[in-house]
Amino acid sequence: MSRPMSRHRGRRTWVAAVAIGAAALLGLALVSSSRADEPEKLSEGMKIVSLEVWPERIDLAHPFAYAQLLVTGRLETGEAVDATRMATFTSSSDLLAIDARGLARPQADGAGELTVAVGGLTAQVPVTVSGQADEFHPSFVRHVMPQMSKLGCNMGTCHGADKGKNGFKLSLRGYDPLFDHRALVDDLAGRRFNRVAPDQSLMLLKPSGGVPHQGGVLTKPGEPAYELLRQWIADGVTLDLDSPRVTSIEIRPQDPQLPLPGMRQQMAVVATYSDGTTRDVSAEAFVETSLGEVVEVDKQGLATAVRRGEAALLARYEGRYAATTVTVMGDRTGFVWQEVPEHNYVDTRVYEKLKRVKIQPSELCTDAEFLRRVYLDLMGLAPEPAEIRAFLADSRPTREKRDAVIDRLVGSPEFVAHWSNKWSDLLQVNRTFLTEKGAWALRDWIRRAVAHNMPYDQFAKTVLTASGSTFENPAASYMRVLREPELAMENSTQLFLGVRFNCNKCHDHPFERWTQDQYYDLAAYFVQVGRKPGLVPGDEVIFDMQGGEEMHPRTGQPVAPQFPYAHADVAPDGLPRREQFAYWATSIENPYFATSYVNRLFSYLLGIGIIEPVDDIRAGNPPTNPALLEQLTDDFITSGFDTQHLLKTITKSRVYQHSLATNRWNDDDKINYSHAMARRLPAETLYDTVQRATGAPIKLPGLPAGQLATQLPDSHVSLPGGFLDLFGRPPRESACECERSSGVVLGQALNLVNGPTVADAIASQENRISRLVASEPENTRLVEELFLAILCRPPTEAEIATGTEAIREAEDRLTGAQDLAWALINSPAFLFNH
């Protein structure tokens, strides 16, 4: 199953129609109605055996209050279905009016019960209605602004656009109530309102169609939105900035499963306010899907399953966000979970979810597949033939000998070079910023930190706070690269917290809780970083100044440093500002710090993060396996931020060692780690693997003979044919993981076929191929050696026959061996790690 961000939106209707139509032909459709406001019924063969109703009681205290009912039916199979639109609702004394979607609004004061009936089953919900005859005075902040948002007035395509619309501008999505109130009341000398005759106000005439309105008719007299706005106008268009604000929201139900395409689930949203009160805001909140090809959502929060898969639903209300994951199960008839061994808690958490969503994991990969995979992942190099033979001949139990290999590789010199290269990308080791000497110095500092397994919190804190000469204390180079306070803040939050804080620079974050004010509050921690020339040419000294303030572009006033969220681990008083930031960011209490690095490491080893992209953690991008991410994070913190411990834990899991081969129950899974994912080798790893496979001598510009591409100081060292850049080596101009490309394009294939890197390695007179031809008289043995060196596995009988025949028919034996090597290097099995 897959859950990338939504693409190809224009195909949604067609995809939905095909999926639902196909399900209907198979007798699997849930509903007989295609309209959300028409009654639904179960398809033949489904039977609800019990009912659950949420909320458990209804209290409506004013005329504009409401409650979104959710009726859940439990089937004989144990599966849950949304029965809200199948239910019959009867309230005593006609206290409520309930529409076809289950939205209950008050009718008359009183107390009684609501009876919910579905298929002969009933449930009762206590009801209390009050305040219907009392005067109700809407709050601009609590009631009016949410209605304007729901009507679309402050969207980016309307008056919330950068320059507004038709001379009228509101803050985007209502993040600034004072600005919006002034725009409504003061612009045009207040002519948007008629307090004596509210119905003649432009604010009502335009959305109700009384006068031409580019946005069309959005509401009309008698509807709650219209009447609420009308009452606020009649009250005198007052502003109440002291009104309780929303502190959090909750979306219900959490993690629902829809058994089949065509099924629906009504979502509800509840807001919690700063005064401790809660309110159902389902009719005013926005619910959006991350993947419309799997689940679609209408404006009233009704989700419709399109095809098997998972999609995140993001609820948004008044600058607060909450998310849940909807799983569309599809037809899993015949699925029976087969128990599999577990090596550690990684397997436990992954298999718990696989069992829940009816996915059977693959078998273990072969020993040869494991050895190549773990060598490439941990060292960036493939194993040598002798190492492969020894491992395949090892008679110890599979798990024992695999664990021993992992223990040997982690911490090895090749491991250090490989993982130092990853951090060189993230810390932007680039001579353009640092000079060549500075780039080498920072690269060497990273190498020492990785070699000594410096605890990750200490590593991050050192990078963020280092001062002095960038030549003598290379970690200070981080602040040499990031010269602007805003850039330093953006880079640090994305790199060390996995949070993209740049989206709220110009306005409040469109998909998260972060505000524009918080952007500049946080940037203020980096405004006092000073820089001055060092004692030697090209050097620079980083230090903390005593003064300097961040200026807010909207107010023109200095802002005080403040964190966007607080935790209990507070820095001592008197520390320089960036030390305060580092203390806050790297604390075990920070909910993003350890989690973001755990997620990053998991993605390096499994090919996809538990949160993807790995540096975009937000409410609308929830983890695919929260329990797994939480336990990995707890383990990492408990270990003292021991990176090597975490890498060993992940690679020793059975999940990491799954086969690439799939079964009928997991062949469509892309996010739950039920089978291995083929991953194209990174540029440097691919180059080094070509050289090791052919045994050609390595001589890279600026490096001693024999040193690897992973040991290059930065991206300014080029190879013939632009090999490394063509295969996605990052320019190291930002900390975003997106800088490194792992895709496959035509130019790469042409380079492998015709480029100098592979051709020179194969043609070298000093390579493995030439030595093998000279020393190995048997063609069979020659083919076996080439397979072990290049594909890291013995050939099959058919491959031996094909290989020996190709060598025999060649002009000479060396040419035949070179041709075979060229064919193996150009095969997908070599280009990908699987």
Side-chain angles (χ1 to χ4, degrees):
M1 299 197 296
S2 60
R3 197 205 67 190
M5 290 304 292
S6 182
R7 297 183 177 91
H8 311 304
R9 296 180 186 270
R11 298 172 55 201
R12 287 182 183 175
T13 303
W14 178 83
V15 172
V18 171
I20 295 172
L25 289 173
L26 294 171
L28 300 175
L30 168 72
V31 297
S32 61
S33 169
S34 61
R35 288 181 53 188
D37 57 354
E38 292 181 358
E40 294 178 357
K41 61 181 180 180
L42 290 172
S43 64
E44 187 175 350
M46 289 185 174
K47 182 179 180 181
I48 295 176
V49 295
S50 64
L51 287 181
E52 299 172 11
V53 182
W54 181 91
E56 295 179 353
R57 64 174 298 113
I58 298 174
D59 291 292
L60 304 178
H62 62 79
F64 295 102
Y66 58 82
Q68 175 62 61
L69 291 159
L70 300 180
V71 183
T72 301
R74 190 70 59 178
L75 302 179
E76 292 176 308
T77 60
E79 296 173 300
V81 296
D82 181 11
T84 306
R85 290 157 310 287
M86 308 173 200
T88 300
F89 301 99
T90 307
S91 68
S92 56
S93 305
D94 294 325
L95 299 174
L96 302 172
I98 303 176
D99 67 15
R101 293 174 178 264
L103 189 70
R105 294 188 180 274
Q107 290 291 97
D109 288 351
E113 279 190 336
L114 173 69
T115 300
V116 182
V118 178
L121 300 172
T122 60
Q124 280 72 41
V125 178
V127 176
T128 301
V129 177
S130 61
Q132 300 307 297
D134 300 338
E135 289 188 2
F136 179 75
H137 304 289
S139 157
F140 179 74
V141 171
R142 189 162 179 161
H143 301 109
V144 174
M145 289 190 67
Q147 285 293 349
M148 292 173 63
S149 294
K150 190 65 175 181
L151 293 174
C153 305
N154 53 28
M155 296 297 99
T157 55
C158 197
H159 300 292
D162 185 42
K163 296 183 180 179
K165 186 77 69 174
N166 295 330
F168 178 37
K169 174 172 171 52
L170 297 170
S171 64
L172 181 64
R173 297 186 174 182
Y175 71 85
D176 190 341
L178 179 59
F179 177 90
D180 289 351
H181 187 268
R182 286 175 175 171
L184 287 164
V185 175
D186 295 343
D187 286 1
L188 297 177
R191 286 181 291 171
R192 289 193 174 92
F193 300 100
N194 187 328
R195 295 164 177 78
V196 177
D199 295 294
Q200 299 305 308
S201 301
L202 282 176
M203 189 181 183
L204 290 175
L205 288 172
K206 286 211 168 192
S208 65
V211 297
H213 181 225
Q214 189 173 347
V217 177
L218 305 174
T219 185
K220 56 187 177 181
E223 292 183 345
Y226 183 98
E227 296 302 325
L228 187 144
L229 295 176
R230 185 185 186 283
Q231 184 61 50
W232 177 69
I233 297 170
D235 287 344
V237 295
T238 56
L239 174 63
D240 54 338
L241 291 178
D242 58 347
S243 176
R245 305 300 296 271
V246 179
T247 57
S248 64
I249 63 172
E250 176 190 11
I251 183 171
R252 300 181 67 99
Q254 273 293 306
D255 301 324
Q257 291 184 350
L258 303 182
L260 297 170
M263 297 178 74
R264 292 170 175 155
Q265 174 65 58
Q266 178 66 51
M267 309 305 296
V269 181
V270 175
T272 298
Y273 288 82
S274 54
D275 61 357
T277 61
T278 60
R279 185 166 77 95
D280 191 323
V281 295
S282 304
E284 300 149 86
F286 293 83
V287 180
E288 297 160 337
T289 179
S290 68
L291 189 59
E293 288 83 354
V294 172
V295 176
E296 291 184 328
V297 185
D298 69 10
K299 292 182 178 180
Q300 285 72 44
L302 181 62
T304 301
V306 178
R307 64 165 174 83
R308 175 168 167 77
E310 296 179 33
L313 297 188
L314 174 67
R316 169 170 56 86
Y317 182 76
E318 291 301 280
R320 300 299 173 182
Y321 299 84
T324 189
T325 299
V326 178
T327 303
V328 183
M329 296 296 295
D331 183 12
R332 308 304 276 175
T333 303
F335 176 86
V336 177
W337 173 258
Q338 303 295 320
E339 293 294 338
V340 290
E342 296 177 359
H343 294 180
N344 58 32
Y345 67 81
V346 174
D347 304 325
T348 303
R349 296 294 169 249
V350 170
Y351 293 158
E352 282 175 350
K353 181 176 181 185
L354 293 183
K355 186 175 182 179
R356 186 170 69 251
V357 297
K358 297 184 178 180
I359 296 175
Q360 186 68 34
S362 292
E363 299 298 324
L364 282 177
C365 62
T366 66
D367 278 348
E369 290 169 341
F370 165 78
L371 199 66
R372 183 175 190 268
R373 180 187 302 173
V374 78
Y375 263 68
L376 289 170
D377 281 342
L378 293 181
M379 298 203 311
L381 287 171
E384 290 281 14
E387 295 170 317
I388 300 169
R389 285 198 192 88
F391 185 72
L392 296 181
D394 192 334
S395 60
R396 287 181 294 174
T398 298
R399 183 177 174 186
E400 180 181 342
K401 69 178 186 177
R402 292 187 180 188
D403 286 357
V405 167
I406 293 168
D407 290 336
R408 176 168 56 84
L409 297 185
V410 173
S412 66
E414 296 84 358
F415 168 92
V416 171
H418 180 59
W419 290 90
S420 296
N421 191 58
K422 290 183 180 294
W423 268 109
S424 294
D425 291 344
L426 298 174
L427 294 183
Q428 301 169 59
V429 179
N430 186 331
R431 70 187 64 185
T432 299
F433 308 133
L434 304 174
T435 76
E436 183 175 358
K437 181 178 180 180
W440 274 110
L442 181 54
R443 172 62 187 243
D444 191 53
W445 180 85
I446 293 171
R447 182 193 61 77
R448 293 195 305 272
V450 174
H452 289 92
N453 194 27
M454 181 186 291
Y456 177 61
D457 61 336
Q458 180 184 338
F459 177 89
K461 192 175 296 183
T462 301
V463 168
L464 289 166
T465 63
S467 297
S469 162
T470 57
F471 289 174
E472 296 176 4
N473 185 15
S477 296
Y478 183 73
M479 288 300 167
R480 181 174 183 174
V481 174
L482 304 167
R483 307 187 71 82
E484 299 296 328
E486 293 89 352
L487 183 60
M489 182 274 294
E490 291 178 13
N491 197 90
S492 299
T493 52
Q494 185 169 355
L495 175 58
F496 294 116
L497 303 179
V499 176
R500 297 184 181 182
F501 227 75
N502 54 341
C503 294
N504 51 311
K505 183 175 184 178
C506 301
H507 50 71
D508 287 5
H509 197 300
F511 305 115
E512 250 293 1
R513 57 176 174 163
W514 316 125
T515 67
Q516 184 189 30
D517 289 345
Q518 288 174 331
Y519 176 95
Y520 292 98
D521 291 345
L522 200 55
Y525 285 99
F526 295 93
V527 77
Q528 295 181 351
V529 179
R531 300 164 183 85
K532 63 183 179 181
L535 297 178
V536 298
D539 192 12
E540 193 167 38
V541 175
I542 308 300
F543 63 98
D544 293 296
M545 302 185 296
Q546 296 301 312
E549 298 297 340
E550 179 75 11
M551 307 301 290
H552 199 301
R554 189 177 73 248
T555 65
Q557 299 297 313
V559 297
Q562 185 175 345
F563 297 120
Y565 53 90
H567 56 64
D569 192 11
V570 181
D573 295 335
L575 289 180
R577 286 188 182 180
R578 63 187 172 119
E579 289 191 31
Q580 295 178 40
F581 177 89
Y583 197 99
W584 168 80
T586 63
S587 169
I588 62 173
E589 300 292 336
N590 194 307
Y592 295 96
F593 177 65
T595 295
S596 65
Y597 194 52
V598 163
N599 184 56
R600 194 184 295 266
L601 292 179
F602 203 82
S603 75
Y604 289 158
L605 297 173
L606 275 296
I608 185 171
I610 306 170
I611 298 173
E612 193 68 31
V614 296
D615 49 13
D616 189 17
I617 300 177
R618 51 185 167 82
N621 189 29
T624 55
N625 193 322
L628 171 62
L629 185 58
E630 181 179 357
Q631 190 159 358
L632 282 166
T633 300
D634 290 345
D635 185 20
F636 187 43
I637 293 173
T638 302
S639 73
F641 294 95
D642 187 335
T643 299
Q644 291 188 8
H645 164 77
L646 188 64
L647 293 174
K648 288 180 181 180
T649 299
I650 296 171
T651 51
K652 288 180 180 180
S653 69
R654 189 181 187 277
V655 167
Y656 173 79
Q657 299 174 28
H658 281 158
S659 171
L660 185 70
T662 60
N663 56 57
R664 65 172 290 200
W665 302 114
N666 72 358
D667 58 1
D668 64 345
D669 176 41
K670 299 295 187 295
I671 62 172
N672 291 304
Y673 314 109
S674 62
H675 59 86
M677 304 281 287
R679 293 167 280 138
R680 205 212 70 202
L681 301 186
E684 300 92 333
T685 298
L686 180 59
Y687 178 85
D688 292 338
T689 303
V690 168
Q691 306 307 312
R692 173 172 274 208
T694 59
I698 303 176
K699 182 63 178 78
L700 294 170
L703 292 179
Q707 289 203 336
L708 305 171
T710 53
Q711 296 171 296
L712 289 168
D714 67 2
S715 59
H716 284 263
V717 179
S718 297
L719 301 182
F723 185 89
L724 295 178
D725 296 328
L726 179 63
F727 280 90
R729 177 179 61 174
R732 295 182 178 171
E733 295 175 350
S734 82
C736 184
E737 288 283 357
C738 58
E739 268 205 346
R740 181 176 288 275
S741 168
S742 60
V744 179
V745 297
L746 179 60
Q748 296 169 348
L750 294 176
N751 187 283
L752 291 175
V753 172
N754 298 314
T757 298
V758 174
D760 292 349
I762 290 177
S764 172
Q765 297 301 307
E766 305 174 59
N767 67 12
R768 184 195 311 269
I769 304 167
S770 299
R771 295 194 300 270
L772 282 173
V773 170
S775 63
E776 184 54 69
E778 293 291 332
N779 284 347
T780 298
R781 290 280 297 164
L782 180 57
V783 171
E784 289 175 349
E785 287 296 316
L786 289 175
F787 265 82
L788 286 172
I790 298 172
L791 299 187
C792 304
R793 64 170 176 82
T796 64
E797 291 297 327
E799 289 168 337
I800 291 175
T802 301
T804 53
E805 181 66 17
I807 293 174
R808 187 184 65 79
E809 292 180 351
E811 295 179 5
D812 57 59
R813 198 160 177 264
L814 178 58
T815 300
Q818 289 174 334
D819 289 345
L820 177 58
W822 179 89
L824 295 179
I825 288 174
N826 278 279
S827 68
F830 180 83
L831 183 60
F832 288 86
N833 188 12
H834 49 80

